[in-house]
Amino acid sequence: MLQLGRHHRFDAGATPLQGQAHEIIVSILDDPSPGLDGVKERLTRCLAAHPHAPEMALLEHLRETVKIVNAEPGQ
């Protein structure tokens, strides 16, 4: 099993796509930049919904993010 962030894991036999998604997710969760609390919270919810499929968690997170960005005035 590979550790995903601090609380999520997926099989060591993960596909290359899952490995790439894992790296992206970990980089987001570990980013110390201020103002990312909402992003990290959404991503964590997506991970909880797809605990063994980081690629699906990332896809869901990106879809939610697009909806939020497109709903903002002036975008």
Side-chain angles (χ1 to χ4, degrees):
M1 299 288 263
L2 294 175
Q3 181 83 18
L4 184 59
R6 289 181 285 270
H7 306 289
H8 301 279
R9 299 170 182 251
F10 65 97
D11 293 328
T15 67
L17 179 60
Q18 288 174 322
Q20 291 171 354
H22 170 264
E23 290 177 19
I24 293 167
I25 291 167
V26 168
S27 71
I28 294 168
L29 294 177
D30 289 345
D31 190 327
S33 300
L36 291 181
D37 291 342
V39 171
K40 292 178 181 184
E41 185 178 311
R42 279 194 311 278
L43 183 53
T44 300
R45 279 196 317 268
C46 293
L47 285 168
H50 304 282
H52 302 291
E55 76 285 10
M56 295 305 297
L58 182 59
L59 178 60
E60 183 178 328
H61 170 73
L62 292 172
R63 286 179 174 159
E64 288 182 19
T65 301
V66 166
K67 287 180 188 178
I68 292 166
V69 169
N70 287 339
E72 292 177 0
Q75 296 294 326

